Amino acid sequence: MAKITNQQVLDKLSAKFGDKLSTPTEPFNFLTVDMEAAIVNEALAFLKNDAELRFNYLTDITAVHYPGLEKELCVVYHLHSLYNNIRIRIKAYVPLANPAIATATNLWEGANWMERETYDYFGIQFVGHPNLVRILNVDDMTVFPMRREYQLEDPNRVDKKDFFFGR
């Protein structure tokens, strides 16, 4: 059972950051807050170091590509307060032309590998990262494979035609 509620977390965040947060949601009781990329590092530090909130565990850092939006790339942080048994998702949008956001390695050493993976697949630059190089793909790769910029399959492949499957 959680010791604090999503509303209490949201109230503390709103009191600290106010209009820099957008409308929060709670899919499956998982508090999700969108915020400006410029304040993400400050917000993460607040969530981690606040005596009541204590979001001391960084579960994941990843990204999502939303083609067509003004800011196409979304950096997603999942935090868990082991003390309060509550989780939060922080989302910050960055433009595809300059996908840069502050590193979280100054708060959690484990962010190092997560940010490198996110850079490797989405091309997001984590400013201040101690060693932002590819981690899973080859070093001389010039594309970021998780961006939705390429067709998933060759539409001319004959073996994928419906008449081979009785349709």
Side-chain angles (χ1 to χ4, degrees), residues 31-159:
L31 180 60
T32 302
V33 179
D34 293 9
M35 62 181 57
E36 296 176 7
I39 66 159
V40 164
N41 201 270
E42 183 183 355
L44 293 174
F46 173 74
L47 288 164
K48 179 182 181 184
N49 299 323
D50 183 82
E52 183 183 6
L53 299 179
R54 297 166 70 171
F55 282 94
N56 54 344
Y57 183 64
L58 175 67
T59 307
D60 192 24
I61 301 173
T62 190
V64 182
H65 184 201
Y66 294 108
L69 292 184
E70 180 183 344
K71 293 184 177 180
E72 293 188 24
L73 292 171
C74 177
V75 183
V76 183
Y77 301 85
H78 289 165
L79 305 177
H80 191 157
S81 172
L82 299 172
Y83 178 78
N84 292 307
N85 193 27
I86 194 167
R87 301 175 303 155
I88 188 170
R89 177 184 297 126
I90 303 293
K91 296 167 77 176
Y93 292 84
V94 294
L96 191 62
N98 181 26
I101 196 164
T103 184
T105 56
N106 57 334
L107 299 169
W108 293 280
E109 289 184 20
N112 186 323
W113 290 75
M114 295 177 206
E115 289 179 355
R116 286 178 65 188
E117 179 185 33
T118 304
Y119 161 72
D120 198 3
Y121 282 120
F122 292 93
I124 295 170
Q125 300 289 323
F126 291 91
V127 178
H129 191 282
N131 186 26
L132 194 62
V133 295
R134 289 195 181 267
I135 191 171
L136 298 168
N137 291 307
V138 294
D139 292 335
D140 58 347
M141 192 170 187
T142 59
V143 297
F144 301 103
M146 292 299 284
R147 289 186 185 176
R148 296 178 182 180
E149 299 173 326
Y150 312 100
Q151 286 186 343
L152 295 178
E153 291 185 357
D154 180 1
N156 298 318
R157 284 183 59 178
V158 177
D159 62 330

